[in-house]
Amino acid sequence: MSAAPRETSWSGQKGAFLALLGPPLGWFLLFFAAPLAVVWAYSFGTNVGAAEIAISGTFANYARALEPLYLGILAKSVGIAALATLICLLLGFPVALAISFAAPQARIWLLIGIMLPFWTNLLIRTYALIAVLRDEGLVNTALASLADALGLPFAPLRMINTNVAVIVGLVYVHLPFMVLPIYAALDRMDRTLIEASLDLGAGHLRTMFAIVIPLAAPGIAAGLLLTLVPALGSYLAPDLLGGPNSQMIANVIERQFKRANDWPFGAALSFMLVYLTFLILALRPLLARKGAGA
Amino acid sequence: MSRDPPALLDYGRRWPLRLVMFAVFLFLYVPLAALVLFSFNDSRRTTRWQGFTLDWYRRMIADTELIAALGNSLVIALLATLISLVLGTLAAVALWRFRFPGKALVSGGFSLPILIPEIVLGVAFLIFFAHVLPWPVGLPWPLSLGAITIAHVAFCFPFVAVVVRARLQSFNREEEEAARDLGAGPWRALVDVILPYLRPSLLAGGLLAFTLSLDDFVITFFTAGPDTVTFPVKVYSMVRFSVTPKVNAISTVMLLITVALTFVALRLQARHGGRALPG
């Protein structure tokens, strides 16, 4: 099929090569790499005067970022994001499985149903959750009328401004990131393997853990990363749904730039988040291999 | 996928899966349904139904700041989408076509804007446009939106590149060679042979870029000035200030736009023989 060579060497057609790669590479270097490099440089800087920062090569900002207070916030961010990711997996896997076994026409509608919230503005979705989780919100109103009908005393559940609300918000926003890659993996799966397993006497649960989950491992690994990475850097959910005790790393970074006006420290915190993100991404091959080998 | 799974494998019809699926769809759609419902509620409160009204929509249209913010967002999204389509397609074709030293580095670099946390990009653009390349203040609209548009293109065009590159993987180079044999120059071959083949991915990539730009709050929050407020930034300040059904009304309008765009895209993609679904 692929008789014609896929790639040609750039040296033969330098003009065409530069015309193609030049504009995107230029944009990337000027408007992505350069701004990030400046943040990186600022993370080794010191405040001198009101709006002036000297790149002094100090590690003081990183030393401060490693103080128990900030390390604690970083650990808490990882914990909240990981818990939200786990809940997404527990909810998303059955949904992906059900969609992949649905009739073709139903499957398209179910996928659109999962995608639509994902296309909807993040701020709108977070705002919609506020109305559900507030003290006098939908959940509490429903619970109150239920308690009323049963003749039980009722005290509103405190959800908004707690860590629970942040986790609910993260799950709500990131669930499609989990469902879609798992669905893609399940869709490619060879179903005769499931039949064989069932024929050979394994139950449905055993088949699930011994056959379906290992085969879906690449999709699960992708879903875990696609959920965990953005959840870790979330700003809106902890800001609008969480309370003073559920601030995540992104909120602390924002404060350094917008209120505390300590840009070098904010820059150091930003790069702590970047390093952490890369560390998580480096786990991907490990995750996928572990799943496939199980 | 034409084969019907035998009843033994009919997981879609087993009750535990159905239960989870039902619960998840309830979880996804009840908040949105409530949001729409209470945009028609004749009360300031957004929890108890008092009666039907269109008053909040009237107040929304009368709110010139809100409408201006929506206009800003749409213009930025449109500009960012057009530039991202060009840059993303160029990048995808260059990486697909050529072998060159440092290719892995460039290819990996282009995926960084997708991976870097939004908050970090936000502060990067804040510093960049404050200290390195100050965007002139007082420019006439829409030039005043330049800084935000530049920032949006930086994180949107890599998504376009990914989508277009995936489509190029299945392109048969012999078609292009045939065009070249028949006398077309490299530019003609690109425009007449490769671009038409890429159309579904350009549509998908463009829609993705448009949505990402329209949706973005965090990066814009750091880049926007007082006279360049976008829709999400405006809604954010409204939500912070107080919960009012006016936000429900404007959110409902945005939801409708999203639904309409999604279905238009699905229609177009089905017609162009691409995949029937986004993503």
Side-chain angles (χ1 to χ4, degrees), chain A residues 34-283:
Chain A
L36 273 187
V38 175
V39 179
W40 192 71
Y42 273 26
S43 72
F44 301 101
T46 332
N47 286 306
V48 286
E52 208 154 330
I53 290 153
I55 314 293
S56 51
T58 175
F59 280 91
N61 300 311
Y62 286 100
R64 200 175 147 207
L66 290 173
E67 280 172 14
L69 171 65
Y70 295 105
L71 218 50
I73 290 174
L74 206 59
K76 187 169 185 181
S77 306
V78 174
I80 288 181
L83 192 55
T85 305
L86 188 70
I87 297 172
C88 278
L89 178 64
L90 293 178
L91 292 176
F93 184 81
V95 171
L97 191 67
I99 295 178
S100 73
F101 279 97
Q105 199 54 38
R107 198 181 312 154
I108 290 176
W109 284 105
L110 290 171
L111 280 174
I112 293 176
I114 292 289
M115 290 295 295
L116 257 186
F118 167 79
W119 290 106
T120 307
N121 196 294
L122 178 64
L123 202 64
I124 293 178
R125 283 183 288 164
T126 311
Y127 172 71
L129 273 186
I130 297 179
V132 173
L133 299 175
R134 276 190 312 161
D135 287 350
E136 64 280 18
L138 272 186
V139 171
N140 274 322
T141 311
L143 285 178
S145 28
L146 187 71
D148 208 34
L150 296 173
L152 295 168
F154 174 73
L157 282 178
R158 188 106 185 89
M159 287 172 293
I160 198 83
N161 300 339
T162 65
N163 292 337
V164 175
V166 177
I167 291 172
V168 171
L170 292 178
V171 171
Y172 188 68
V173 168
H174 294 103
L175 200 55
F177 290 108
M178 185 65 83
V179 173
L180 294 175
I182 296 180
Y183 166 77
L186 289 173
D187 197 42
R188 284 193 300 266
M189 185 175 57
D190 180 0
R191 293 196 182 169
T192 53
L193 289 171
I194 303 178
E195 280 176 58
S197 165
L198 292 172
D199 280 350
L200 291 171
H204 279 288
L205 264 184
R206 185 152 173 222
T207 303
M208 199 52 65
F209 283 100
I211 308 287
V212 179
I213 290 178
L215 281 176
I220 294 174
L224 287 174
L225 288 182
L226 282 175
T227 310
L228 185 60
V229 167
L232 183 61
S234 280
Y235 173 79
L236 270 180
D239 185 63
L240 289 177
L241 301 171
N245 286 326
S246 33
Q247 297 300 292
M248 288 170 72
I249 183 75
N251 308 94
V252 182
I253 293 174
E254 187 263 354
R255 209 175 308 140
Q256 304 311 316
F257 283 92
K258 292 236 158 172
R259 272 158 280 181
N261 221 4
D262 191 347
W263 289 20
F265 181 51
L269 284 175
S270 301
F271 264 84
M272 296 283 285
L273 178 58
V274 171
Y275 297 141
L276 201 59
T277 302
F278 285 149
L279 191 73
I280 293 170
L281 290 173
L283 294 177

Side-chain angles (χ1 to χ4, degrees), chain B residues 234-246:
Chain B
K234 177 69 187 162
V235 171
Y236 177 79
S237 65
M238 288 171 85
V239 171
R240 285 250 94 171
F241 188 62
S242 72
V243 173
T244 140
K246 200 158 68 176

